[in-house]
Amino acid sequence: MGGYLASMTGFGAYTAAWATAVRVRGCPLPDRPEPWDVVLTSVATFRLSRLLSKASVTSPLRAPFTRYVGPQGPAELHEEAEGGRDTVGELVTCPFCTSVWVVSTLTAGQLLWPRATRTAMGALAALAGADALQLAYSALVSRTTGDD
């Protein structure tokens, strides 16, 4: 329980720091989020969370807290939290857990640096689309050639 409490405290401090930065800069808050921003933020959060928590290329970032188990899907790894560092290991290997931090960061970024953040989110959304096309293409080739 101590690790979870520390994680929640860290997240609270993290979001309080972003909120303070937004307030100090005097960034106006929208009356409500635009639907397009919600969609873009969702797709960007999905892609960046999976990139950080599952991608083989980012495994060195997770290595101090995890143990490699095996491959898990295209260019993704299955890792488990390393003993003694369970909470951080769980956080960095769980795309659902990571997404809470990512969406908070992207939301603050949209308030502080809207153009740069939307550009980065657009790139992440395009990457998610490209990934979907790669998987669809592989499935189509496999289906038409009979290769499994």
Side-chain angles (χ1 to χ4, degrees):
M1 284 297 183
Y4 293 129
L5 182 59
S7 178
M8 289 170 48
T9 302
F11 182 76
Y14 182 72
T15 55
W18 278 120
T20 300
V22 168
R23 178 175 289 158
V24 167
R25 292 252 334 252
C27 300
L29 296 177
D31 291 330
R32 64 175 174 254
E34 294 295 325
W36 174 245
D37 282 338
V38 173
V39 171
L40 184 61
T41 304
S42 298
V43 175
T45 298
F46 162 79
R47 189 63 204 108
L48 186 54
S49 296
R50 290 209 71 86
L51 182 66
L52 293 172
S53 65
K54 294 291 182 187
S56 53
V57 297
T58 56
S59 63
L61 301 174
R62 299 184 302 273
F65 312 103
T66 63
R67 179 178 52 81
Y68 174 78
V69 176
Q72 179 184 344
E76 290 190 345
L77 302 177
H78 176 71
E79 298 165 317
E80 292 181 350
E82 189 66 59
R85 299 184 203 124
D86 290 336
T87 303
V88 175
E90 288 178 32
L91 175 67
V92 299
T93 60
C94 171
F96 298 98
C97 304
T98 303
S99 68
V100 174
W101 293 75
V102 168
V103 77
S104 298
T105 304
L106 293 177
T107 300
Q110 287 180 74
L111 295 170
L112 294 166
W113 311 284
R115 291 180 70 175
T117 303
R118 283 190 181 91
T119 299
M121 290 192 318
L124 288 164
L127 180 59
D131 289 349
L133 290 170
Q134 294 288 358
L135 292 171
Y137 178 79
S138 292
L140 180 62
V141 167
S142 180
R143 185 174 178 201
T144 58
T145 62
D147 295 338
D148 289 325

